[in-house]
Amino acid sequence: MMTTTRHSSIGKRFLSAIFNREFFLFLVCLSLSGMFWYIVSLNEEREADFNLRLNLKNVPENVVITTGLPSNVKVTLKDRGAQLLSYKYSGGMPTINIDFKNYDQQSGHVILKNSDITKTLMAKLQPTTKITAISPSVLDYYYNFGLHSKLPVVLRASLNTEKFYNIASVRLYPDSVNVYASKQLLDTLTAVYTEYISLSHLKERTVRRLPLEKIKGTKMDPDKTLLRVDIDQITEKTVTVPIKWVNFPATKVLKTFPSKVKVKFQVGTAMYRQRKAEDFVIVVNYEDILNSNKEKLHLSLKSIPTGVTQVHIIPEDVDYLIEDVSEEE
């Protein structure tokens, strides 16, 4: 019994050794074929994309670049795989310097030809390399000699608070910026705008730094603004307001029952003490009474002060009496 078990164990080890050796040989063959394929592919002609850095040099001190060149462009090269790899792992693409003095220095707008970029780049590449594409296809920049206007900043936003909170104030720092551009472009601008922002469920002061929307051909200084939204907790307040009347003939007076009513409203805690009965005016016009066919007088506020919401007059309809009085009295 023991002899049979020992023979079985030896057989398993023998089969396992054969299997492992065959698997090892398979991996070696697979690696060699992969290396062979890779070597062959390096000699084949291929295309690859690279980032090409651009630099505008020799800009005079009195010139303001309002919209500059992109910091880099995408260039597609065609060559053997080995050569493309060398570009990738030997420091990448060279920086292409664009000399401001070589182009128009008066119009305020320069459009570069792709042929200029191609010619400069080809001088720094191997003779076998071809440039098949440059993106973007149009490269340009705008400049002026310091002409600018100060324009207000307009907030583009959706602001919402949690329940029982309201927005006490919304401020931008700065609320205006210097905009550099050509006279023709400045004449069309009345304001600059922030990038859109949406803030919801606010219940405490919130501060965000917002970029300004870019306008081609302009430079904004600064190009960002600070948004501050102050939040206030809502509370309820009630004041007693007298009913006033206007445009009554000299021989007539109005009496209402009651002569004063309560005005209940919601206000932020920061303005709670500031909002008083004097801020609310309830006025009854004689002509409105003559044109009304209702038995009771309906009251309304002439205006609602800032920062106040959910205003209710209690009672909203009152009894009234118009009395005649002697002019001698």
Side-chain angles (χ1 to χ4, degrees), residues 145-191:
F145 297 94
L147 182 65
H148 68 279
S149 294
K150 195 164 190 176
L151 298 178
V153 179
V154 177
L155 175 66
R156 295 180 63 250
S158 173
L159 306 175
N160 296 290
T161 64
E162 286 276 13
K163 192 176 181 181
F164 304 121
Y165 291 84
N166 69 358
I167 297 175
S169 67
V170 178
R171 299 177 184 177
L172 294 173
Y173 303 94
D175 59 4
S176 60
V177 297
N178 288 320
V179 180
Y180 294 81
S182 66
K183 184 179 184 305
Q184 294 82 354
L185 183 53
L186 287 176
D187 288 343
T188 67
L189 301 176
T190 57

Coordinates of all heavy atoms in Angstrom, one line a residue, residues 145-191:
F145 N -1.1 99.3 -26.9 CA 0.0 100.1 -26.3 C -0.5 100.8 -25.0 O -0.2 101.9 -24.7 CB 0.4 101.2 -27.3 CG 1.1 100.6 -28.5 CD1 0.3 100.4 -29.7 CD2 2.4 100.3 -28.5 CE1 0.9 99.9 -30.8 CE2 3.0 99.7 -29.6 CZ 2.2 99.5 -30.8
G146 N -1.3 100.0 -24.2 CA -1.7 100.5 -22.9 C -3.1 101.1 -22.8 O -3.6 101.5 -21.8
L147 N -3.8 101.1 -24.0 CA -5.2 101.7 -24.0 C -6.1 100.8 -23.1 O -6.2 99.6 -23.4 CB -5.7 101.8 -25.4 CG -7.1 102.4 -25.6 CD1 -7.1 103.9 -25.1 CD2 -7.6 102.3 -27.0
H148 N -6.9 101.3 -22.2 CA -7.8 100.5 -21.4 C -8.9 101.3 -20.8 O -8.9 102.6 -20.9 CB -7.0 99.9 -20.2 CG -6.5 100.9 -19.2 ND1 -5.3 101.6 -19.4 CD2 -7.0 101.3 -18.0 CE1 -5.2 102.4 -18.4 NE2 -6.1 102.3 -17.5
S149 N -9.9 100.7 -20.3 CA -11.1 101.3 -19.6 C -11.4 100.5 -18.4 O -11.1 99.3 -18.3 CB -12.3 101.2 -20.5 OG -12.1 102.1 -21.7
K150 N -11.9 101.2 -17.4 CA -12.3 100.5 -16.1 C -13.8 100.2 -16.3 O -14.6 101.1 -16.4 CB -12.1 101.4 -14.9 CG -12.1 100.7 -13.6 CD -11.5 101.5 -12.5 CE -11.4 100.7 -11.2 NZ -10.7 101.4 -10.2
L151 N -14.1 98.9 -16.2 CA -15.5 98.4 -16.4 C -16.0 97.7 -15.2 O -15.2 97.0 -14.5 CB -15.5 97.5 -17.6 CG -15.2 98.1 -19.0 CD1 -15.3 97.1 -20.1 CD2 -16.1 99.3 -19.3
P152 N -17.3 97.8 -14.9 CA -17.9 97.1 -13.7 C -17.9 95.6 -14.0 O -18.0 95.1 -15.1 CB -19.3 97.7 -13.6 CG -19.6 98.1 -15.0 CD -18.3 98.6 -15.6
V153 N -17.8 94.8 -12.9 CA -17.9 93.4 -12.9 C -19.4 93.0 -12.6 O -19.9 93.4 -11.6 CB -17.0 92.7 -12.0 CG1 -17.1 91.2 -12.0 CG2 -15.5 93.1 -12.3
V154 N -20.0 92.2 -13.4 CA -21.4 91.7 -13.2 C -21.3 90.2 -12.9 O -20.7 89.4 -13.6 CB -22.2 91.9 -14.5 CG1 -23.6 91.4 -14.3 CG2 -22.3 93.4 -14.8
L155 N -22.0 89.9 -11.8 CA -22.1 88.5 -11.3 C -23.1 87.7 -12.1 O -24.2 88.1 -12.2 CB -22.4 88.5 -9.8 CG -22.6 87.1 -9.2 CD1 -21.3 86.3 -9.2 CD2 -23.2 87.2 -7.8
R156 N -22.7 86.5 -12.5 CA -23.6 85.6 -13.1 C -23.7 84.4 -12.2 O -22.7 83.6 -12.1 CB -23.1 85.1 -14.5 CG -23.0 86.2 -15.6 CD -22.5 85.7 -16.9 NE -23.4 84.7 -17.5 CZ -23.1 83.4 -17.6 NH1 -21.9 83.0 -17.1 NH2 -24.0 82.5 -18.1
A157 N -24.8 84.3 -11.5 CA -24.9 83.2 -10.4 C -26.3 82.9 -10.1 O -27.2 83.7 -10.4 CB -24.1 83.7 -9.2
S158 N -26.5 81.7 -9.5 CA -27.7 81.3 -8.9 C -27.4 81.0 -7.5 O -26.6 80.2 -7.1 CB -28.3 80.0 -9.6 OG -29.4 79.5 -8.9
L159 N -28.0 81.8 -6.6 CA -27.8 81.7 -5.1 C -29.0 81.4 -4.4 O -30.1 82.1 -4.5 CB -27.2 83.1 -4.6 CG -26.0 83.6 -5.4 CD1 -25.6 85.0 -4.8 CD2 -24.8 82.7 -5.3
N160 N -29.0 80.3 -3.6 CA -30.2 79.9 -2.8 C -29.7 79.5 -1.4 O -28.6 79.0 -1.2 CB -30.9 78.7 -3.5 CG -31.4 79.1 -4.8 OD1 -32.4 79.8 -4.9 ND2 -30.8 78.5 -5.9
T161 N -30.6 79.7 -0.4 CA -30.3 79.5 1.0 C -31.1 78.3 1.5 O -32.1 77.9 0.9 CB -30.6 80.7 1.8 OG1 -32.0 81.0 1.8 CG2 -29.8 81.9 1.3
E162 N -30.7 77.8 2.6 CA -31.5 76.9 3.4 C -32.8 77.5 3.9 O -32.8 78.8 3.9 CB -30.7 76.3 4.6 CG -29.6 75.4 4.2 CD -30.1 73.9 4.1 OE1 -31.3 73.7 4.0 OE2 -29.2 73.0 4.0
K163 N -33.7 76.7 4.3 CA -35.0 77.3 4.8 C -34.7 78.1 6.1 O -33.8 77.7 6.9 CB -36.0 76.1 5.1 CG -37.4 76.6 5.4 CD -38.3 75.4 5.6 CE -39.7 75.8 5.8 NZ -40.6 74.7 6.0
F164 N -35.4 79.2 6.3 CA -35.2 80.1 7.4 C -33.9 80.9 7.4 O -33.5 81.4 8.4 CB -35.4 79.3 8.7 CG -36.6 78.6 8.9 CD1 -36.6 77.2 9.1 CD2 -37.9 79.2 8.8 CE1 -37.8 76.5 9.2 CE2 -39.0 78.5 8.9 CZ -39.0 77.1 9.1
Y165 N -33.3 81.0 6.2 CA -32.2 81.8 6.0 C -32.4 82.7 4.8 O -33.2 82.3 3.9 CB -30.9 81.0 5.8 CG -30.4 80.3 7.0 CD1 -30.9 79.0 7.4 CD2 -29.4 80.8 7.9 CE1 -30.5 78.3 8.5 CE2 -29.0 80.2 9.0 CZ -29.5 78.9 9.3 OH -29.1 78.3 10.4
N166 N -31.8 83.8 4.7 CA -31.9 84.6 3.5 C -30.5 85.3 3.2 O -29.6 85.2 4.0 CB -33.0 85.7 3.6 CG -32.6 86.8 4.6 OD1 -31.6 86.7 5.3 ND2 -33.5 87.8 4.8
I167 N -30.4 85.9 2.0 CA -29.2 86.5 1.6 C -29.2 87.9 2.1 O -30.0 88.7 1.7 CB -29.0 86.4 0.1 CG1 -28.9 85.0 -0.3 CG2 -27.8 87.2 -0.4 CD1 -28.9 84.7 -1.8
A168 N -28.2 88.3 2.9 CA -28.1 89.6 3.5 C -27.5 90.6 2.5 O -27.9 91.7 2.3 CB -27.4 89.7 4.8
S169 N -26.4 90.1 1.8 CA -25.7 91.0 0.9 C -24.9 90.1 0.0 O -24.4 89.0 0.3 CB -24.8 92.0 1.6 OG -23.8 91.4 2.3
V170 N -24.6 90.6 -1.2 CA -23.8 90.0 -2.2 C -22.8 91.0 -2.7 O -23.2 92.1 -3.2 CB -24.6 89.4 -3.4 CG1 -23.6 88.8 -4.4 CG2 -25.6 88.4 -2.9
R171 N -21.5 90.7 -2.6 CA -20.5 91.7 -2.9 C -19.3 91.1 -3.7 O -19.0 89.9 -3.6 CB -19.9 92.4 -1.7 CG -20.9 93.1 -0.9 CD -20.3 93.7 0.4 NE -21.3 94.3 1.2 CZ -21.1 94.9 2.4 NH1 -19.9 94.8 2.9 NH2 -22.1 95.4 3.1
L172 N -18.7 91.9 -4.6 CA -17.6 91.5 -5.4 C -16.4 92.3 -5.1 O -16.5 93.6 -5.0 CB -17.9 91.6 -6.9 CG -19.0 90.6 -7.5 CD1 -19.3 91.0 -8.9 CD2 -18.6 89.2 -7.3
Y173 N -15.2 91.7 -4.9 CA -14.0 92.4 -4.6 C -12.9 92.0 -5.6 O -12.5 90.8 -5.5 CB -13.5 92.2 -3.2 CG -14.5 92.5 -2.1 CD1 -15.4 91.5 -1.6 CD2 -14.6 93.8 -1.6 CE1 -16.3 91.8 -0.6 CE2 -15.5 94.1 -0.6 CZ -16.4 93.1 -0.1 OH -17.3 93.4 0.9
P174 N -12.5 92.8 -6.6 CA -13.0 94.1 -6.8 C -14.3 94.1 -7.6 O -14.6 93.0 -8.2 CB -11.9 94.8 -7.7 CG -11.3 93.6 -8.4 CD -11.4 92.4 -7.4
D175 N -15.1 95.2 -7.6 CA -16.3 95.2 -8.4 C -16.1 95.9 -9.8 O -17.1 96.1 -10.5 CB -17.4 95.9 -7.6 CG -17.0 97.3 -7.2 OD1 -15.9 97.8 -7.7 OD2 -17.8 98.0 -6.5
S176 N -14.9 96.2 -10.1 CA -14.5 96.8 -11.4 C -13.1 96.4 -11.7 O -12.3 96.3 -10.8 CB -14.8 98.3 -11.5 OG -14.0 99.0 -10.6
V177 N -12.8 96.3 -13.0 CA -11.4 95.9 -13.4 C -11.0 96.7 -14.6 O -11.8 97.3 -15.3 CB -11.3 94.4 -13.8 CG1 -11.6 93.5 -12.5 CG2 -12.2 94.1 -14.9
N178 N -9.7 96.8 -14.8 CA -9.1 97.5 -16.0 C -9.1 96.5 -17.2 O -8.7 95.4 -17.0 CB -7.7 98.0 -15.8 CG -7.7 99.2 -14.8 OD1 -8.5 100.1 -14.9 ND2 -6.7 99.2 -13.9
V179 N -9.7 96.9 -18.3 CA -9.8 96.1 -19.5 C -8.9 96.7 -20.6 O -9.2 97.8 -21.0 CB -11.2 95.9 -20.0 CG1 -11.2 95.0 -21.2 CG2 -12.1 95.3 -18.9
Y180 N -7.9 96.0 -21.0 CA -7.0 96.5 -22.1 C -7.5 95.9 -23.4 O -7.7 94.7 -23.5 CB -5.6 96.1 -21.8 CG -5.0 96.7 -20.6 CD1 -5.2 96.2 -19.3 CD2 -4.1 97.8 -20.7 CE1 -4.6 96.8 -18.2 CE2 -3.6 98.5 -19.6 CZ -3.8 97.9 -18.4 OH -3.3 98.5 -17.3
A181 N -7.7 96.7 -24.4 CA -8.1 96.2 -25.7 C -8.0 97.4 -26.7 O -7.6 98.5 -26.3 CB -9.6 95.7 -25.7
S182 N -8.3 97.1 -28.0 CA -8.3 98.1 -29.0 C -9.5 99.1 -28.7 O -10.5 98.8 -28.1 CB -8.5 97.5 -30.4 OG -9.7 96.9 -30.5
K183 N -9.4 100.3 -29.3 CA -10.4 101.3 -29.1 C -11.8 100.8 -29.6 O -12.8 101.0 -29.0 CB -10.1 102.6 -29.7 CG -11.1 103.7 -29.5 CD -10.7 105.0 -30.1 CE -11.7 106.1 -29.8 NZ -13.1 105.8 -30.1
Q184 N -11.7 100.1 -30.8 CA -12.9 99.6 -31.4 C -13.6 98.6 -30.5 O -14.9 98.6 -30.3 CB -12.6 99.0 -32.7 CG -12.1 99.9 -33.8 CD -10.7 100.2 -33.7 OE1 -10.0 99.8 -32.8 NE2 -10.1 101.0 -34.7
L185 N -12.8 97.7 -29.8 CA -13.4 96.7 -29.0 C -13.9 97.3 -27.7 O -15.0 97.0 -27.2 CB -12.4 95.6 -28.7 CG -12.9 94.4 -27.9 CD1 -14.1 93.8 -28.4 CD2 -11.8 93.4 -27.8
L186 N -13.1 98.3 -27.1 CA -13.5 98.9 -25.8 C -14.8 99.7 -26.0 O -15.6 99.7 -25.1 CB -12.4 99.9 -25.4 CG -11.2 99.2 -24.8 CD1 -10.1 100.3 -24.5 CD2 -11.5 98.4 -23.5
D187 N -15.1 100.2 -27.2 CA -16.3 101.0 -27.4 C -17.5 100.1 -27.4 O -18.7 100.6 -27.2 CB -16.2 101.7 -28.8 CG -15.3 102.9 -28.7 OD1 -14.9 103.3 -27.6 OD2 -14.9 103.4 -29.8
T188 N -17.4 98.8 -27.5 CA -18.5 97.9 -27.5 C -18.8 97.3 -26.2 O -19.8 96.6 -26.0 CB -18.3 96.7 -28.5 OG1 -17.2 95.9 -28.1 CG2 -18.0 97.3 -29.9
L189 N -17.9 97.5 -25.2 CA -18.0 96.8 -23.9 C -18.6 97.8 -22.9 O -18.1 99.0 -22.8 CB -16.6 96.3 -23.4 CG -15.9 95.3 -24.3 CD1 -14.5 95.0 -23.8 CD2 -16.8 94.0 -24.5
T190 N -19.5 97.3 -22.1 CA -20.1 98.1 -21.0 C -19.8 97.5 -19.6 O -19.9 98.1 -18.6 CB -21.6 98.3 -21.2 OG1 -22.2 97.0 -21.2 CG2 -21.9 99.1 -22.4
A191 N -19.5 96.2 -19.6 CA -19.2 95.5 -18.4 C -18.5 94.2 -18.7 O -18.4 93.8 -19.9 CB -20.5 95.2 -17.6

